[in-house]
Amino acid sequence: MRWLSRSYLALVYLLLYVPILVLVVFSFNDSRTGYNWGGFSLRWYESLFSNHAMVQAMWNSLWLALTAATVSTIIGALTALALHRYRFRGKKVLNGMLFVVMMSPEIVLAISLLGLFMLVGLKLGYVSLLLAHVTFCLPFVVITVMARLSGFDERLPEAARDLGASEFTVTRTVLIPVIMPALMAGWLLGFTLSMDDVVVSTFVSGPGYEILPLRIYSMVRVGLKPEVNALGSLLLVFSLVMLMLSQWILSRSKQ
Amino acid sequence: MLQSIKQQPFRAAVLMLVWGWLLFLVLAPNMLVVGASVMTRDPSTFISLPLNLDAYRQLFNPLYLDVFLHSLYMAAMTTLVCLLIGYPFAWALSHVGKRRQTLLIFLLIVPFWTNSLVRTYALKLILATNGLLNSALMSLGVIDEPARLLYTEGAVIIGLVYLLLPFMILPLYSVFEDLRQDVLLASHDLGAGRLATFKNVIVPLTLPGVLAGVMLVLLPAMGLFFVPDILGGSRNLLVGNVIKNQFLDARNWPFGAAASIVLTLTMALLIFAHRLSKRHLGEEGA
C-alpha cells in the first residue's frame, strides 16, 4: 500500500514535469523542425535577443510587472491593515468585492475592465494594463498580509498610540516592520502573476504597448516556434527564482 | 464624516483609497457588464438603448447552444479527470512525512507561478503528429502510423487538466490534512469495513474540499480560451472563446456580456453549494 501510494505520487509529478523538461531540453536543440534532436545549440537564445521587438516586449513586461506589483502591494497592504484594525461601515461589502475578484473567472474581470476603459475613454495601453494588473493582484496581497497580521499582538500599536504616536506613525514604525515579510512575498507573487497573465491582458492592451505573454500568444497560435522554447525556459527559471525567494522570506520570518 | 477626516486624516485617506479603487475597478465594471447584457448592440458606441433580453435569447440559438454545451462537457470532463487523479493524490500526499510534504507542496505550486501559455505550448511539442508521444509509441511498436492527437477534444481536455490539476489537489489536500485519525479508528471500532468507512465517513468529511476543487477547476475550464487556440483547433471552443470573439472580433458586447453573466451565475451557484456543504458539516460535527 505504501509503495503503491508513493509510486502514484511519483507518476503524477512525472506527468506534471515532463512537458516542462521537454521544453527546456528542446530550447537547446539545433534542429529547426523542433521534433528531432539536431545537436546542442544556443541559436534560439541568440535569435531571441537579436529580435528587437521581442526585447522591447520583454522590457515592457518587466516594467509593467514591477509597477503593478509595487502599486498592488501598497494598496493591498493598506486594505489588509484597514480590514484588520479599523471598524467601518461596509466592511463586509469590501471583503465581498475582494472575494469576487479572486473567484470570478479571469475572462469576466477582463471584459468588465475593457467595458469600463471604453466607457471613460481611456486609451488602451500601459495605463489600462497597469490598472487591470493591480486589480487582479490585489486580493493575493491582501490575503498574504492578513495571514501575517492574524497572529499579531494588538497591544503593540495600542501602546504606541497611548505614547502619543499618530496613526501614520504607528503604521510606519510598528505595523509595516511586522508585515514586511508578507509585503515582500506578496510583491513577488504580484510580479509573477503580472508577468504571466494572458487572459486579462488580451483584452486591455493596446497596439502601442506590446507585452511578452501576448507576443508569445501570437507566436504559438501558428505552429511551433523554437524561439518560444528558449523564451519559455527563461521565464521558467525566472519564476522559479521568484518563488524560491518568496518561500525563503516567509519561512525565515516564521523562525 | 468631515470631523473624522480632521481627527484621523491617515485613516480616512486609507479608507478612501481602498474604497475608491474597489468601487471604480471592481463594482462599477461588473455593473457595467450586467447593464451591457440587456442593451442593444451598436456598431459605433458598442452598446445603446433600448433595453431588451435579445442577448440572452441569442444564447439559446442552436449554434451557440451547441458551443456552450460542448464547452460545459469539456469542462465537466476536465473536472472529473482532475478529481479522479487528485483525490487519491491528495490522500497519498497527506500520508507523507512532514518534511517531505513541504517539498512536495512546493513542487505543486511551481506550476501556479509559471507561465501557463508556455506550459500549454510544451504540451503541443508532445502531442503533435510528429511529436514526442507519437514517435515514442511508434518506436515501441504500439502503433504503425502517427495518431492524430493534436486539435482534438481530448487534447483540449488534457491541456486543461494539465493546467488546473493543482487547483483541485490543494483544497483536497487541506481537507485530508484535517481528517482526524481517531474518527477513522472510531468507524473501524464500530465495525465498519473499509468501504463503509470510505462511503460514510471519508467522503462526507472531504466533500467541502471536493466542492472547492470543483469550483476552482470547472470555471477556469470554461474560460481559458488560449488552450483550445493552441491545442484544440476551431471546433473545440470554450465559452471563453465565444466571449472573446464577441468582444474583440464580432463587437457584439451585449451577447458577450450575457455569456459572461452565465459564467458568473455558475460560479455563484458553486460557491453557494460549497457554503452549504460546509455549514451542513459544521452542524453535524458540533
Side-chain angles (χ1 to χ4, degrees):
Chain A
M1 199 60 191
R2 195 182 159 86
W3 70 266
L4 192 73
S5 82
R6 289 287 159 86
S7 31
Y8 179 66
L9 285 177
L11 178 72
V12 175
Y13 277 110
L14 194 70
L15 289 177
L16 280 177
Y17 279 88
V18 158
I20 297 177
L21 287 177
V22 168
L23 183 86
V24 175
V25 170
F26 271 60
S27 73
F28 298 110
N29 187 0
D30 194 42
S31 151
R32 171 159 274 286
T33 56
Y35 297 115
N36 309 315
W37 185 251
F40 180 87
S41 154
L42 288 175
R43 61 187 282 200
W44 305 120
Y45 288 91
E46 280 162 23
S47 92
L48 204 62
F49 285 103
S50 57
N51 182 339
H52 180 73
M54 180 72 85
V55 174
Q56 183 61 47
M58 253 183 243
W59 283 119
N60 285 350
S61 265
L62 280 173
W63 175 244
L64 173 65
L66 203 81
T67 45
T70 307
V71 176
S72 66
T73 304
I74 294 170
I75 300 181
L78 293 176
T79 310
L81 285 172
L83 284 172
H84 184 76
R85 285 172 49 76
Y86 300 157
R87 262 195 251 161
F88 55 91
R89 233 186 283 168
K91 201 165 171 172
K92 276 198 172 150
V93 180
L94 200 78
N95 250 324
M97 283 198 282
L98 287 169
F99 184 69
V100 165
V101 178
M102 203 151 78
M103 290 308 296
S104 51
E106 281 172 287
I107 191 153
V108 175
L109 182 78
I111 59 158
S112 69
L113 286 171
L114 174 68
L116 177 81
F117 296 150
M118 290 304 216
L119 188 76
V120 300
L122 181 71
K123 195 166 148 272
L124 295 182
Y126 170 71
V127 177
S128 60
L129 280 166
L130 180 68
L131 290 173
H133 282 213
V134 170
T135 303
F136 71 68
C137 291
L138 208 55
F140 293 97
V141 178
V142 175
I143 286 181
T144 320
V145 176
M146 287 288 264
R148 176 82 186 163
L149 280 171
S150 69
F152 175 60
D153 188 350
E154 276 313 309
R155 285 169 302 184
L156 235 61
E158 290 300 321
R161 288 228 68 153
D162 291 347
L163 291 169
S166 73
E167 185 66 18
F168 177 69
T169 313
V170 172
T171 306
R172 193 172 56 89
T173 56
V174 181
L175 294 166
I176 299 284
V178 169
I179 59 173
M180 204 52 184
L183 292 184
M184 289 197 275
W187 189 90
L188 288 168
L189 181 58
F191 189 93
T192 319
L193 287 174
S194 165
M195 279 294 279
D196 289 349
D197 172 72
V198 189
V199 175
V200 176
S201 303
T202 301
F203 285 83
V204 299
S205 80
Y209 201 83
E210 195 182 29
I211 54 171
L212 209 49
L214 295 186
R215 185 154 184 97
I216 301 176
Y217 187 36
S218 62
M219 283 169 81
V220 296
R221 269 204 290 194
V222 279
L224 294 169
K225 290 269 164 51
E227 285 97 343
V228 175
N229 299 343
L231 186 56
S233 306
L234 287 178
L235 284 174
L236 198 78
V237 172
F238 190 74
S239 318
L240 245 146
V241 171
M242 299 296 258
L243 176 57
M244 289 199 302
L245 211 60
S246 117
Q247 296 285 317
W248 180 71
I249 290 168
L250 284 177
S251 72
R252 207 185 49 154
S253 71
K254 269 188 198 135
Q255 284 157 11
Chain B
M1 182 74 188
L2 263 177
Q3 203 179 4
S4 77
I5 291 177
K6 259 187 203 152
Q7 277 169 0
Q8 299 176 309
F10 178 72
R11 183 196 135 114
V14 167
L15 285 179
M16 243 148 72
L17 175 71
V18 170
W19 273 114
W21 192 281
L22 288 173
L23 288 178
F24 185 65
L25 285 151
V26 178
L27 192 68
N30 277 301
M31 291 292 137
L32 202 66
V33 172
V34 176
S37 74
V38 293
M39 288 176 83
T40 309
R41 179 185 181 184
D42 189 302
S44 59
T45 57
F46 298 115
I47 42 173
S48 64
L49 293 168
L51 300 179
N52 59 63
L53 290 174
D54 281 358
Y56 290 93
R57 241 171 257 136
Q58 208 180 341
L59 288 173
F60 293 97
N61 172 331
L63 185 74
Y64 289 112
L65 200 60
D66 269 1
V67 174
F68 277 99
L69 291 178
H70 188 55
S71 170
L72 192 65
Y73 164 76
M74 287 194 289
M77 283 304 286
T78 302
T79 313
L80 188 68
V81 174
C82 282
L83 188 62
L84 289 178
I85 299 176
Y87 200 83
F89 184 91
W91 176 83
L93 190 61
S94 69
H95 283 77
V96 176
K98 267 280 164 268
R99 281 185 74 91
R100 212 177 283 171
Q101 229 171 65
T102 318
L103 176 70
L104 290 177
I105 295 283
F106 176 81
L107 287 176
L108 213 55
I109 328 176
V110 169
F112 178 72
W113 284 62
T114 53
N115 197 303
S116 44
L117 196 60
V118 168
R119 284 188 299 135
T120 313
Y121 172 76
L123 278 182
K124 199 173 189 171
L125 288 173
I126 294 173
L127 296 175
T129 314
N130 39 1
L132 287 179
L133 191 60
N134 267 322
S135 324
L137 289 176
M138 285 208 302
S139 62
L140 286 171
V142 182
I143 49 173
D144 299 326
E145 278 176 21
R148 190 185 145 89
L149 304 167
L150 208 57
Y151 307 124
T152 60
E153 187 184 284
V156 175
I157 295 174
I158 291 174
L160 290 171
V161 169
Y162 180 53
L163 291 186
L164 298 169
L165 185 61
F167 294 94
M168 178 63 88
I169 291 174
L170 289 172
L172 283 174
Y173 164 75
S174 89
V175 287
F176 273 114
E177 272 289 284
D178 290 345
L179 195 66
R180 283 162 45 194
Q181 283 304 309
D182 47 358
V183 181
L184 301 183
L185 279 176
S187 165
H188 179 77
D189 291 346
L190 290 169
R194 282 182 173 221
L195 196 68
T197 304
F198 180 73
K199 203 177 75 159
N200 299 325
V201 181
I202 299 182
V203 168
L205 282 176
T206 52
L207 196 62
V210 172
L211 282 168
V214 168
M215 198 153 71
L216 291 175
V217 172
L218 189 70
L219 287 163
M222 291 196 274
L224 289 175
F225 56 77
F226 57 86
V227 176
D229 270 357
I230 297 172
L231 300 173
S234 57
R235 271 188 301 155
N236 298 297
L237 298 178
L238 303 182
V239 177
N241 296 81
V242 175
I243 297 177
K244 176 173 161 258
N245 291 342
Q246 294 304 320
F247 266 87
L248 298 183
D249 304 325
R251 299 278 170 192
N252 187 347
W253 282 28
F255 183 54
S260 91
I261 282 174
V262 172
L263 270 193
T264 312
L265 287 179
T266 319
M267 171 187 82
L269 206 71
L270 285 169
I271 291 174
F272 183 67
H274 180 237
R275 288 259 160 102
L276 216 62
S277 81
K278 265 191 139 167
R279 191 179 310 159
H280 187 69
L281 263 189
E283 274 166 12
E284 283 197 346

